[in-house]
């Protein structure tokens, strides 16, 4: 009976998250690596924010390239998994927080998201606010969905790169 409650709890946690953002879909390491080398050349001067960071694979890829990596995740199970898998990565931080309610760090240079179409207008507003608040450009790599109002800088497979400059 306890096992049933655990299973139902896990299903609930993963299901409820889909109402607030994109569902958990593990990132394909090969494609993510390609997006952070060929689409946007990540470097040691970057601070990457991963929206809905899941198990932290994007964070670890970024850290391996020398970038600071900060993940925001609202599923506590995935936060714990990400922290455990990233324990030897001092450049990785995973936060149990809602990205939409969080002000991004001043040093943010790039945001990565596996996003759903319904959130793209909201994402565009959030990223423009971030660029305006920080006073510097913020790049955005999205996997899967594209923005209606913003013209992409480049695309690579299912990844699209956008640039938000302060107004």
């Amino acid at each position: 009976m306890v096992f049933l409650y655990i299973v139902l709890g896990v299903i609930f946690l993963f299901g409820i998250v889909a109402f607030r953002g994109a569902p958990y879909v593990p990132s394909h390491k090969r494609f993510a690596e390609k997006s952070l080398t060929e689409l946007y050349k990540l470097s040691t001067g970057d601070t990457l924010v991963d929206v809905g960071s899941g198990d932290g694979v994007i964070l670890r890829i970024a850290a391996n390239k020398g970038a600071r990596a900060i993940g925001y995740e609202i599923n506590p199970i995935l936060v714990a998994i990400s922290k455990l898998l990233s324990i030897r990565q001092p450049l990785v931080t995973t936060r149990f927080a809602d990205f939409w309610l969080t002000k991004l760090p001043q040093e943010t240079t790039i945001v990565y998201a596996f996003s759903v179409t319904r959130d793209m207008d909201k994402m565009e507003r959030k990223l423009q606010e971030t660029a305006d608040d920080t006073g510097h450009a913020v790049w955005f790599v999205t996997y899967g969905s594209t923005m209606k109002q913003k013209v992409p800088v480049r695309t690579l497979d299912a990844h699209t790169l956008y640039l938000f400059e302060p107004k």
Side-chain angles (χ1 to χ4, degrees), residues 1 13-14 16-18 20 22 24 26-27 35 38 48 61 63 73 78 92 96 100 112 122 128 138 140 165:
M1 191 62 156
L13 282 173
F14 280 84
I16 198 73
V17 168
R20 190 72 182 140
Y24 171 65
S27 295
S35 75
E38 295 178 30
L48 177 138
I61 289 170
E73 178 57 60
L78 291 173
V92 172
F96 176 54
W100 300 115
Y112 183 99
K122 192 172 164 182
Q128 187 60 59
V138 175
F140 176 53
E165 297 187 90

PDB file of all heavy atoms in Angstrom, residues 1 13-14 16-18 20 22 24 26-27 35 38 48 61 63 73 78 92 96 100 112 122 128 138 140 165:
ATOM      1  N   MET A   1       0.818  -1.202   0.000  1.00  0.00           N
ATOM      2  CA  MET A   1       0.000   0.000   0.000  1.00  0.00           C
ATOM      3  C   MET A   1       0.859   1.262   0.000  1.00  0.00           C
ATOM      4  O   MET A   1       0.530   2.228  -0.666  1.00  0.00           O
ATOM      5  CB  MET A   1      -0.925  -0.034   1.224  1.00  0.00           C
ATOM      6  CG  MET A   1      -1.986   1.023   1.191  1.00  0.00           C
ATOM      7  SD  MET A   1      -3.044   0.773  -0.226  1.00  0.00           S
ATOM      8  CE  MET A   1      -4.484   1.568   0.289  1.00  0.00           C
ATOM      9  N   LEU A  13       3.311  14.681  -8.782  1.00  0.00           N
ATOM     10  CA  LEU A  13       4.353  15.705  -8.910  1.00  0.00           C
ATOM     11  C   LEU A  13       4.723  15.961 -10.367  1.00  0.00           C
ATOM     12  O   LEU A  13       4.851  17.105 -10.794  1.00  0.00           O
ATOM     13  CB  LEU A  13       5.605  15.314  -8.130  1.00  0.00           C
ATOM     14  CG  LEU A  13       5.542  15.540  -6.632  1.00  0.00           C
ATOM     15  CD1 LEU A  13       6.771  14.951  -5.958  1.00  0.00           C
ATOM     16  CD2 LEU A  13       5.421  17.014  -6.312  1.00  0.00           C
ATOM     17  N   PHE A  14       4.893  14.907 -11.148  1.00  0.00           N
ATOM     18  CA  PHE A  14       5.258  15.077 -12.547  1.00  0.00           C
ATOM     19  C   PHE A  14       4.078  15.616 -13.359  1.00  0.00           C
ATOM     20  O   PHE A  14       4.270  16.390 -14.287  1.00  0.00           O
ATOM     21  CB  PHE A  14       5.777  13.762 -13.142  1.00  0.00           C
ATOM     22  CG  PHE A  14       7.201  13.490 -12.798  1.00  0.00           C
ATOM     23  CD1 PHE A  14       7.535  12.884 -11.590  1.00  0.00           C
ATOM     24  CD2 PHE A  14       8.216  13.850 -13.662  1.00  0.00           C
ATOM     25  CE1 PHE A  14       8.861  12.646 -11.260  1.00  0.00           C
ATOM     26  CE2 PHE A  14       9.542  13.611 -13.339  1.00  0.00           C
ATOM     27  CZ  PHE A  14       9.872  13.004 -12.132  1.00  0.00           C
ATOM     28  N   ILE A  16       1.411  17.583 -12.187  1.00  0.00           N
ATOM     29  CA  ILE A  16       1.046  18.950 -11.811  1.00  0.00           C
ATOM     30  C   ILE A  16       2.003  19.969 -12.428  1.00  0.00           C
ATOM     31  O   ILE A  16       1.620  21.079 -12.776  1.00  0.00           O
ATOM     32  CB  ILE A  16       0.946  19.100 -10.273  1.00  0.00           C
ATOM     33  CG1 ILE A  16       0.158  20.352  -9.893  1.00  0.00           C
ATOM     34  CG2 ILE A  16       2.302  19.157  -9.638  1.00  0.00           C
ATOM     35  CD1 ILE A  16      -1.309  20.243 -10.125  1.00  0.00           C
ATOM     36  N   VAL A  17       3.263  19.574 -12.586  1.00  0.00           N
ATOM     37  CA  VAL A  17       4.266  20.459 -13.176  1.00  0.00           C
ATOM     38  C   VAL A  17       3.883  20.840 -14.601  1.00  0.00           C
ATOM     39  O   VAL A  17       4.121  21.960 -15.043  1.00  0.00           O
ATOM     40  CB  VAL A  17       5.664  19.796 -13.119  1.00  0.00           C
ATOM     41  CG1 VAL A  17       6.668  20.522 -13.972  1.00  0.00           C
ATOM     42  CG2 VAL A  17       6.131  19.730 -11.673  1.00  0.00           C
ATOM     43  N   ALA A  18       3.263  19.933 -15.323  1.00  0.00           N
ATOM     44  CA  ALA A  18       2.886  20.197 -16.714  1.00  0.00           C
ATOM     45  C   ALA A  18       1.877  21.344 -16.823  1.00  0.00           C
ATOM     46  O   ALA A  18       1.798  22.006 -17.854  1.00  0.00           O
ATOM     47  CB  ALA A  18       2.320  18.945 -17.359  1.00  0.00           C
ATOM     48  N   ARG A  20       2.061  24.055 -15.038  1.00  0.00           N
ATOM     49  CA  ARG A  20       2.806  25.294 -14.773  1.00  0.00           C
ATOM     50  C   ARG A  20       3.845  25.575 -15.857  1.00  0.00           C
ATOM     51  O   ARG A  20       4.295  26.683 -16.006  1.00  0.00           O
ATOM     52  CB  ARG A  20       3.481  25.189 -13.397  1.00  0.00           C
ATOM     53  CG  ARG A  20       4.079  26.457 -12.904  1.00  0.00           C
ATOM     54  CD  ARG A  20       3.007  27.443 -12.483  1.00  0.00           C
ATOM     55  NE  ARG A  20       3.663  28.666 -12.070  1.00  0.00           N
ATOM     56  CZ  ARG A  20       3.220  29.858 -12.343  1.00  0.00           C
ATOM     57  NH1 ARG A  20       2.104  30.003 -13.001  1.00  0.00           N
ATOM     58  NH2 ARG A  20       3.866  30.913 -11.941  1.00  0.00           N
ATOM     59  N   ALA A  22       6.430  23.229 -19.084  1.00  0.00           N
ATOM     60  CA  ALA A  22       6.553  22.074 -19.972  1.00  0.00           C
ATOM     61  C   ALA A  22       6.682  20.800 -19.148  1.00  0.00           C
ATOM     62  O   ALA A  22       7.211  20.824 -18.045  1.00  0.00           O
ATOM     63  CB  ALA A  22       7.778  22.242 -20.859  1.00  0.00           C
ATOM     64  N   TYR A  24       8.226  17.146 -18.072  1.00  0.00           N
ATOM     65  CA  TYR A  24       9.604  16.666 -18.032  1.00  0.00           C
ATOM     66  C   TYR A  24       9.847  15.739 -19.214  1.00  0.00           C
ATOM     67  O   TYR A  24       9.177  14.716 -19.378  1.00  0.00           O
ATOM     68  CB  TYR A  24       9.885  15.927 -16.722  1.00  0.00           C
ATOM     69  CG  TYR A  24      11.226  15.235 -16.713  1.00  0.00           C
ATOM     70  CD1 TYR A  24      12.393  15.983 -16.769  1.00  0.00           C
ATOM     71  CD2 TYR A  24      11.332  13.855 -16.676  1.00  0.00           C
ATOM     72  CE1 TYR A  24      13.641  15.372 -16.788  1.00  0.00           C
ATOM     73  CE2 TYR A  24      12.566  13.230 -16.680  1.00  0.00           C
ATOM     74  CZ  TYR A  24      13.717  13.999 -16.736  1.00  0.00           C
ATOM     75  OH  TYR A  24      14.939  13.389 -16.751  1.00  0.00           O
ATOM     76  N   PRO A  26      13.426  14.224 -20.812  1.00  0.00           N
ATOM     77  CA  PRO A  26      14.884  14.241 -20.696  1.00  0.00           C
ATOM     78  C   PRO A  26      15.530  14.793 -21.971  1.00  0.00           C
ATOM     79  O   PRO A  26      15.134  14.440 -23.077  1.00  0.00           O
ATOM     80  CB  PRO A  26      15.256  12.772 -20.495  1.00  0.00           C
ATOM     81  CG  PRO A  26      14.004  12.109 -20.038  1.00  0.00           C
ATOM     82  CD  PRO A  26      12.870  12.887 -20.639  1.00  0.00           C
ATOM     83  N   SER A  27      16.499  15.671 -21.797  1.00  0.00           N
ATOM     84  CA  SER A  27      17.202  16.255 -22.946  1.00  0.00           C
ATOM     85  C   SER A  27      18.129  15.220 -23.559  1.00  0.00           C
ATOM     86  O   SER A  27      18.770  14.447 -22.852  1.00  0.00           O
ATOM     87  CB  SER A  27      18.033  17.461 -22.508  1.00  0.00           C
ATOM     88  OG  SER A  27      17.196  18.490 -22.060  1.00  0.00           O
ATOM     89  N   SER A  35      23.743  22.254 -29.580  1.00  0.00           N
ATOM     90  CA  SER A  35      23.133  23.594 -29.508  1.00  0.00           C
ATOM     91  C   SER A  35      24.011  24.579 -28.746  1.00  0.00           C
ATOM     92  O   SER A  35      23.995  25.773 -29.033  1.00  0.00           O
ATOM     93  CB  SER A  35      21.743  23.526 -28.874  1.00  0.00           C
ATOM     94  OG  SER A  35      21.835  23.336 -27.482  1.00  0.00           O
ATOM     95  N   GLU A  38      27.475  24.764 -31.476  1.00  0.00           N
ATOM     96  CA  GLU A  38      27.302  25.218 -32.854  1.00  0.00           C
ATOM     97  C   GLU A  38      26.286  26.353 -32.999  1.00  0.00           C
ATOM     98  O   GLU A  38      26.475  27.247 -33.820  1.00  0.00           O
ATOM     99  CB  GLU A  38      26.896  24.049 -33.743  1.00  0.00           C
ATOM    100  CG  GLU A  38      27.975  22.988 -33.857  1.00  0.00           C
ATOM    101  CD  GLU A  38      27.553  21.814 -34.710  1.00  0.00           C
ATOM    102  OE1 GLU A  38      26.740  21.991 -35.643  1.00  0.00           O
ATOM    103  OE2 GLU A  38      28.030  20.690 -34.430  1.00  0.00           O
ATOM    104  N   LEU A  48      24.584  30.531 -17.726  1.00  0.00           N
ATOM    105  CA  LEU A  48      23.421  29.933 -18.368  1.00  0.00           C
ATOM    106  C   LEU A  48      22.351  29.656 -17.324  1.00  0.00           C
ATOM    107  O   LEU A  48      22.651  29.135 -16.246  1.00  0.00           O
ATOM    108  CB  LEU A  48      23.814  28.628 -19.061  1.00  0.00           C
ATOM    109  CG  LEU A  48      22.669  27.853 -19.706  1.00  0.00           C
ATOM    110  CD1 LEU A  48      23.108  27.321 -21.073  1.00  0.00           C
ATOM    111  CD2 LEU A  48      22.191  26.708 -18.828  1.00  0.00           C
ATOM    112  N   ILE A  61      26.372  20.076 -18.965  1.00  0.00           N
ATOM    113  CA  ILE A  61      27.024  20.380 -20.244  1.00  0.00           C
ATOM    114  C   ILE A  61      27.626  21.776 -20.182  1.00  0.00           C
ATOM    115  O   ILE A  61      28.774  21.997 -20.571  1.00  0.00           O
ATOM    116  CB  ILE A  61      26.027  20.265 -21.423  1.00  0.00           C
ATOM    117  CG1 ILE A  61      25.662  18.799 -21.665  1.00  0.00           C
ATOM    118  CG2 ILE A  61      26.606  20.884 -22.687  1.00  0.00           C
ATOM    119  CD1 ILE A  61      24.511  18.591 -22.636  1.00  0.00           C
ATOM    120  N   ALA A  63      28.477  23.549 -17.522  1.00  0.00           N
ATOM    121  CA  ALA A  63      29.593  23.576 -16.565  1.00  0.00           C
ATOM    122  C   ALA A  63      30.846  22.940 -17.157  1.00  0.00           C
ATOM    123  O   ALA A  63      31.957  23.424 -16.922  1.00  0.00           O
ATOM    124  CB  ALA A  63      29.193  22.877 -15.269  1.00  0.00           C
ATOM    125  N   GLU A  73      13.770  24.625 -11.216  1.00  0.00           N
ATOM    126  CA  GLU A  73      12.923  23.441 -11.367  1.00  0.00           C
ATOM    127  C   GLU A  73      11.878  23.449 -10.268  1.00  0.00           C
ATOM    128  O   GLU A  73      12.193  23.760  -9.125  1.00  0.00           O
ATOM    129  CB  GLU A  73      13.781  22.179 -11.295  1.00  0.00           C
ATOM    130  CG  GLU A  73      13.035  20.869 -11.387  1.00  0.00           C
ATOM    131  CD  GLU A  73      12.208  20.739 -12.656  1.00  0.00           C
ATOM    132  OE1 GLU A  73      12.778  20.797 -13.756  1.00  0.00           O
ATOM    133  OE2 GLU A  73      10.967  20.581 -12.531  1.00  0.00           O
ATOM    134  N   LEU A  78      13.032  16.049  -9.174  1.00  0.00           N
ATOM    135  CA  LEU A  78      14.043  16.367 -10.183  1.00  0.00           C
ATOM    136  C   LEU A  78      15.132  17.274  -9.626  1.00  0.00           C
ATOM    137  O   LEU A  78      16.298  17.166 -10.019  1.00  0.00           O
ATOM    138  CB  LEU A  78      13.386  16.994 -11.417  1.00  0.00           C
ATOM    139  CG  LEU A  78      12.519  16.026 -12.231  1.00  0.00           C
ATOM    140  CD1 LEU A  78      11.783  16.766 -13.333  1.00  0.00           C
ATOM    141  CD2 LEU A  78      13.358  14.893 -12.797  1.00  0.00           C
ATOM    142  N   VAL A  92      27.590  24.354 -11.050  1.00  0.00           N
ATOM    143  CA  VAL A  92      26.155  24.054 -11.194  1.00  0.00           C
ATOM    144  C   VAL A  92      25.406  24.366  -9.913  1.00  0.00           C
ATOM    145  O   VAL A  92      25.806  23.963  -8.827  1.00  0.00           O
ATOM    146  CB  VAL A  92      25.936  22.567 -11.573  1.00  0.00           C
ATOM    147  CG1 VAL A  92      24.458  22.198 -11.527  1.00  0.00           C
ATOM    148  CG2 VAL A  92      26.515  22.282 -12.948  1.00  0.00           C
ATOM    149  N   PHE A  96      15.110  24.978  -6.347  1.00  0.00           N
ATOM    150  CA  PHE A  96      13.706  24.602  -6.294  1.00  0.00           C
ATOM    151  C   PHE A  96      12.926  25.910  -6.302  1.00  0.00           C
ATOM    152  O   PHE A  96      12.726  26.541  -5.270  1.00  0.00           O
ATOM    153  CB  PHE A  96      13.416  23.782  -5.027  1.00  0.00           C
ATOM    154  CG  PHE A  96      11.969  23.421  -4.849  1.00  0.00           C
ATOM    155  CD1 PHE A  96      11.272  22.766  -5.843  1.00  0.00           C
ATOM    156  CD2 PHE A  96      11.318  23.739  -3.667  1.00  0.00           C
ATOM    157  CE1 PHE A  96       9.940  22.427  -5.673  1.00  0.00           C
ATOM    158  CE2 PHE A  96       9.983  23.405  -3.483  1.00  0.00           C
ATOM    159  CZ  PHE A  96       9.297  22.752  -4.493  1.00  0.00           C
ATOM    160  N   TRP A 100       9.030  31.626 -13.422  1.00  0.00           N
ATOM    161  CA  TRP A 100       8.158  32.768 -13.725  1.00  0.00           C
ATOM    162  C   TRP A 100       8.085  33.761 -12.568  1.00  0.00           C
ATOM    163  O   TRP A 100       7.777  34.929 -12.771  1.00  0.00           O
ATOM    164  CB  TRP A 100       6.751  32.289 -14.074  1.00  0.00           C
ATOM    165  CG  TRP A 100       6.738  31.384 -15.262  1.00  0.00           C
ATOM    166  CD1 TRP A 100       6.384  30.067 -15.277  1.00  0.00           C
ATOM    167  CD2 TRP A 100       7.119  31.701 -16.606  1.00  0.00           C
ATOM    168  NE1 TRP A 100       6.528  29.546 -16.540  1.00  0.00           N
ATOM    169  CE2 TRP A 100       6.959  30.536 -17.374  1.00  0.00           C
ATOM    170  CE3 TRP A 100       7.572  32.856 -17.244  1.00  0.00           C
ATOM    171  CZ2 TRP A 100       7.240  30.485 -18.744  1.00  0.00           C
ATOM    172  CZ3 TRP A 100       7.854  32.810 -18.602  1.00  0.00           C
ATOM    173  CH2 TRP A 100       7.686  31.635 -19.327  1.00  0.00           C
ATOM    174  N   TYR A 112      18.217  28.817 -21.490  1.00  0.00           N
ATOM    175  CA  TYR A 112      17.899  27.625 -22.276  1.00  0.00           C
ATOM    176  C   TYR A 112      16.559  27.093 -21.776  1.00  0.00           C
ATOM    177  O   TYR A 112      16.335  27.035 -20.568  1.00  0.00           O
ATOM    178  CB  TYR A 112      18.983  26.557 -22.091  1.00  0.00           C
ATOM    179  CG  TYR A 112      18.763  25.318 -22.918  1.00  0.00           C
ATOM    180  CD1 TYR A 112      19.431  25.143 -24.116  1.00  0.00           C
ATOM    181  CD2 TYR A 112      17.877  24.317 -22.509  1.00  0.00           C
ATOM    182  CE1 TYR A 112      19.238  24.002 -24.893  1.00  0.00           C
ATOM    183  CE2 TYR A 112      17.668  23.186 -23.270  1.00  0.00           C
ATOM    184  CZ  TYR A 112      18.353  23.026 -24.465  1.00  0.00           C
ATOM    185  OH  TYR A 112      18.141  21.906 -25.217  1.00  0.00           O
ATOM    186  N   LYS A 122       4.825  34.733 -22.997  1.00  0.00           N
ATOM    187  CA  LYS A 122       5.243  35.034 -21.627  1.00  0.00           C
ATOM    188  C   LYS A 122       6.772  35.001 -21.506  1.00  0.00           C
ATOM    189  O   LYS A 122       7.381  35.845 -20.855  1.00  0.00           O
ATOM    190  CB  LYS A 122       4.595  33.995 -20.706  1.00  0.00           C
ATOM    191  CG  LYS A 122       4.654  34.260 -19.248  1.00  0.00           C
ATOM    192  CD  LYS A 122       3.766  33.202 -18.570  1.00  0.00           C
ATOM    193  CE  LYS A 122       4.003  33.092 -17.117  1.00  0.00           C
ATOM    194  NZ  LYS A 122       3.188  32.041 -16.499  1.00  0.00           N
ATOM    195  N   GLN A 128      12.820  39.883 -22.269  1.00  0.00           N
ATOM    196  CA  GLN A 128      13.041  41.301 -22.560  1.00  0.00           C
ATOM    197  C   GLN A 128      13.186  42.087 -21.257  1.00  0.00           C
ATOM    198  O   GLN A 128      14.052  42.954 -21.145  1.00  0.00           O
ATOM    199  CB  GLN A 128      11.898  41.881 -23.416  1.00  0.00           C
ATOM    200  CG  GLN A 128      12.168  43.292 -23.877  1.00  0.00           C
ATOM    201  CD  GLN A 128      13.433  43.391 -24.723  1.00  0.00           C
ATOM    202  OE1 GLN A 128      13.537  42.754 -25.757  1.00  0.00           O
ATOM    203  NE2 GLN A 128      14.403  44.184 -24.275  1.00  0.00           N
ATOM    204  N   VAL A 138      20.754  39.321 -23.631  1.00  0.00           N
ATOM    205  CA  VAL A 138      20.485  37.981 -23.119  1.00  0.00           C
ATOM    206  C   VAL A 138      20.098  37.120 -24.323  1.00  0.00           C
ATOM    207  O   VAL A 138      19.191  37.468 -25.078  1.00  0.00           O
ATOM    208  CB  VAL A 138      19.338  37.991 -22.078  1.00  0.00           C
ATOM    209  CG1 VAL A 138      18.994  36.572 -21.648  1.00  0.00           C
ATOM    210  CG2 VAL A 138      19.700  38.845 -20.877  1.00  0.00           C
ATOM    211  N   PHE A 140      18.764  33.488 -25.965  1.00  0.00           N
ATOM    212  CA  PHE A 140      17.767  32.487 -25.600  1.00  0.00           C
ATOM    213  C   PHE A 140      17.825  31.346 -26.596  1.00  0.00           C
ATOM    214  O   PHE A 140      17.682  31.555 -27.806  1.00  0.00           O
ATOM    215  CB  PHE A 140      16.379  33.109 -25.583  1.00  0.00           C
ATOM    216  CG  PHE A 140      15.258  32.148 -25.302  1.00  0.00           C
ATOM    217  CD1 PHE A 140      15.279  31.330 -24.187  1.00  0.00           C
ATOM    218  CD2 PHE A 140      14.159  32.056 -26.151  1.00  0.00           C
ATOM    219  CE1 PHE A 140      14.244  30.436 -23.911  1.00  0.00           C
ATOM    220  CE2 PHE A 140      13.115  31.186 -25.890  1.00  0.00           C
ATOM    221  CZ  PHE A 140      13.158  30.371 -24.777  1.00  0.00           C
ATOM    222  N   GLU A 165      17.996  42.375 -26.532  1.00  0.00           N
ATOM    223  CA  GLU A 165      18.863  43.481 -26.186  1.00  0.00           C
ATOM    224  C   GLU A 165      18.076  44.485 -25.355  1.00  0.00           C
ATOM    225  O   GLU A 165      16.870  44.664 -25.551  1.00  0.00           O
ATOM    226  CB  GLU A 165      19.422  44.137 -27.442  1.00  0.00           C
ATOM    227  CG  GLU A 165      20.293  43.154 -28.220  1.00  0.00           C
ATOM    228  CD  GLU A 165      21.009  43.803 -29.381  1.00  0.00           C
ATOM    229  OE1 GLU A 165      22.118  44.285 -29.157  1.00  0.00           O
ATOM    230  OE2 GLU A 165      20.435  43.811 -30.466  1.00  0.00           O
TER     231      GLU A 165
END
